[in-house]
Amino acid sequence: MSYAKLVSPTIVASFALAVAACGGPAAENPPPADPAKATSPTPSDAPSAAPTATPSAAPEAKPEAKPAAEPEKPKGLVHDVDGPDGIRRWALWDGPKTGAVITTPKAWVVAPNLGRLGETKDSFGAVRIKLVTVAKADANEVVYEERGNKYAVPAALARPAAPPKGLKKGAFAICNFGQSHWVGRIEAVDAKTATCALRFMKKLRKEKLPLDEVLAFETPIGMGSHVMVRFADGGPDAETSYAGQVFTVSGEDAWVTVETQFGNGYGAREGRRVHKVKTANLTPIDVSKPLTVGAPCLTEDVVRFGACTVKQVFDGGLGYVLTFKDNEKPFQEEWDLGTVAPLPKEAKPAK
C-alpha cells in the first residue's frame, strides 16, 4: 500500500518493499550484519567467502594435511527457525504467544512476507496480515500450508475468519485482496457477501467477497489498526512520526510494523520491521473518518516528516494527494487510506 524506506543516521534512502498485493513476496537482500546477533541458519543471497585453506592435490599429501576451511557464514538477525516437524516459525517474535483457539476453517494471521533467491520458503523478515486456510490450531499457534511449505504463527497473532457482527454499508474494514489485505469501504452487504470498495494502483476497485473475508478493526487499537508511531528509544529520530499498523496489544505495549527498515545507529530497531513500542507513543488513525480538502494532516514521507495539507481526496477518502510546506514534489503522488492522520492540535499545518 506504500513504499518501504531504508534509514541510516545520516541518509534516508528508499527502496521498494517486497510486498506485492497481488503477487506475493519478492527477493530482498539480507538485513545488515550485526555481530552481536546469532548467526542465521537460513541460506543467503550473499556470495560465500573464499576458503582460507585447501588440501594438497598431490597423491603423496601427508595425512595430517588440513581440509579446506568452511566459508564463513553471514551474520545478522535470525528471523526464522525451521523445526524438526518441518514447520517454519518466527524466531524473533517477542510478544504474547497464546490466544483463543481458532476453530474456523480459515484465519487472519500475521504471515511471513519476504522471499529470497534460492529459497522456497517465505521469511518472517517482513510480515503482513493475511487470510490463510488453517491446517491445525491450538492455544499456542496456528499452522497453515502454502505452496508446499508449512508455517506456524503465534495464536496471539491470529483471528478467526468469521462474518463481522453488525457490518453495515459505509463502514471501513480490512478486506481480503490479492493474497494480502486492503483497507476498504463497504459499499453493499447482505446475508452472505460484502462489496468492498478500495483504491488500488490509483484506481477504484469494487470486490465482492464472502463475509468471512472481511475483518473488522479492533478498537481503540488492535490487530489491523493504523497508527502514527513515535520511537522513544533514544534514536536520532525522536520527533519523527512513522506510518504503521498494529499487530497486537498487551497492557501498555504494542507490536507495530512500519515499512521503514532501520540501519546502523538505531539500536534494537536495526534490521527489524516489527517493533515493540508503548501505546502512549501511538497516534491512532481513525480510517472511518476520511479527511477533507484543506484539512491539516500528519503523514510520513521519505524526505520530509510531519505536517501536511490535504490537496485532493479520491473516492470518498480511499486515497489522498498532499502538499507540504516546502512545496517541493513529494516522494509519492498518492497516499493510501491509513497512512494520513489528522494533524494534532499542538502541531502547525503546512502553509
Side-chain angles (χ1 to χ4, degrees):
M1 291 173 58
S2 58
Y3 297 91
K5 276 82 67 179
L6 177 66
V7 179
S8 69
T10 58
I11 302 175
V12 181
S14 65
F15 66 94
L17 174 64
V19 179
C22 298
E28 175 173 309
N29 292 328
D34 186 342
K37 306 295 190 302
T39 300
S40 173
T42 58
S44 170
D45 297 334
S48 300
T52 58
T54 54
S56 172
E60 66 273 16
K62 297 180 180 180
E64 64 271 15
K66 295 182 180 181
E70 293 185 3
E72 183 180 355
K73 296 180 180 179
K75 297 179 180 180
L77 294 176
V78 181
H79 296 282
D80 313 296
V81 57
D82 295 323
D85 54 4
I87 300 175
R88 172 161 288 191
R89 294 174 173 85
W90 194 354
L92 288 181
W93 176 245
D94 59 354
K97 296 180 175 60
T98 60
V101 179
I102 299 295
T103 59
T104 52
K106 294 184 178 181
W108 294 91
V109 301
V110 177
N113 189 41
L114 178 64
R116 291 195 177 101
L117 294 176
E119 293 189 28
T120 60
K121 289 185 178 181
D122 293 337
S123 171
F124 284 95
V127 290
R128 60 177 166 172
I129 296 175
K130 182 180 179 180
L131 187 66
V132 300
T133 299
V134 178
K136 61 179 180 179
D138 56 27
N140 295 310
E141 62 184 15
V142 173
V143 177
Y144 71 95
E145 185 172 344
E146 192 169 76
R147 300 192 303 276
N149 297 312
K150 293 182 178 180
Y151 306 90
V153 176
L157 298 178
R159 300 291 184 270
K165 295 180 180 179
L167 185 67
K168 297 180 180 180
K169 179 180 178 179
F172 286 81
I174 296 173
C175 303
N176 182 38
F177 177 67
Q179 300 299 312
S180 185
H181 75 281
W182 220 256
V183 180
R185 182 180 57 245
I186 304 301
E187 296 287 279
V189 60
D190 57 34
K192 295 183 178 180
T193 66
T195 300
C196 186
L198 50 90
R199 192 162 176 85
F200 178 70
M201 300 293 289
K202 300 182 181 179
K203 294 182 179 180
L204 177 66
R205 292 188 58 145
K206 294 186 178 182
E207 299 288 323
K208 191 172 184 178
L209 305 169
L211 283 178
D212 62 0
E213 293 190 13
V214 177
L215 179 66
F217 286 103
E218 297 177 357
T219 57
I221 56 172
M223 178 179 277
S225 298
H226 289 271
V227 294
M228 298 303 294
V229 185
R230 297 177 306 281
F231 291 100
D233 55 7
D237 53 354
E239 302 302 320
T240 298
S241 293
Y242 295 91
Q245 189 174 32
V246 177
F247 285 153
T248 192
V249 177
S250 178
E252 297 181 350
D253 298 316
W255 282 260
V256 182
T257 182
V258 297
E259 291 188 358
T260 295
Q261 184 176 0
F262 298 96
N264 295 334
Y266 287 84
R269 281 187 266 160
E270 293 178 17
R272 294 176 181 257
R273 291 220 177 88
V274 177
H275 312 275
K276 180 181 178 181
V277 298
K278 294 296 181 183
T279 56
N281 293 324
L282 301 179
T283 300
I285 299 175
D286 187 353
V287 296
S288 68
K289 298 179 180 179
L291 301 175
T292 58
V293 173
C297 56
L298 177 68
T299 193
E300 173 190 356
D301 185 44
V302 74
V303 175
R304 63 187 65 73
F305 300 89
C308 55
T309 300
V310 177
K311 180 180 179 181
Q312 188 175 356
V313 179
F314 295 113
D315 304 315
L318 296 180
Y320 300 100
V321 172
L322 308 176
T323 59
F324 295 85
K325 187 175 181 179
D326 59 17
N327 293 320
E328 293 182 2
K329 186 176 180 179
F331 172 72
Q332 61 197 70
E333 297 179 0
E334 184 176 327
W335 276 257
D336 298 312
L337 178 69
T339 64
V340 184
L343 190 71
K345 293 182 179 180
E346 64 272 14
K348 296 182 179 180
K351 297 296 185 181

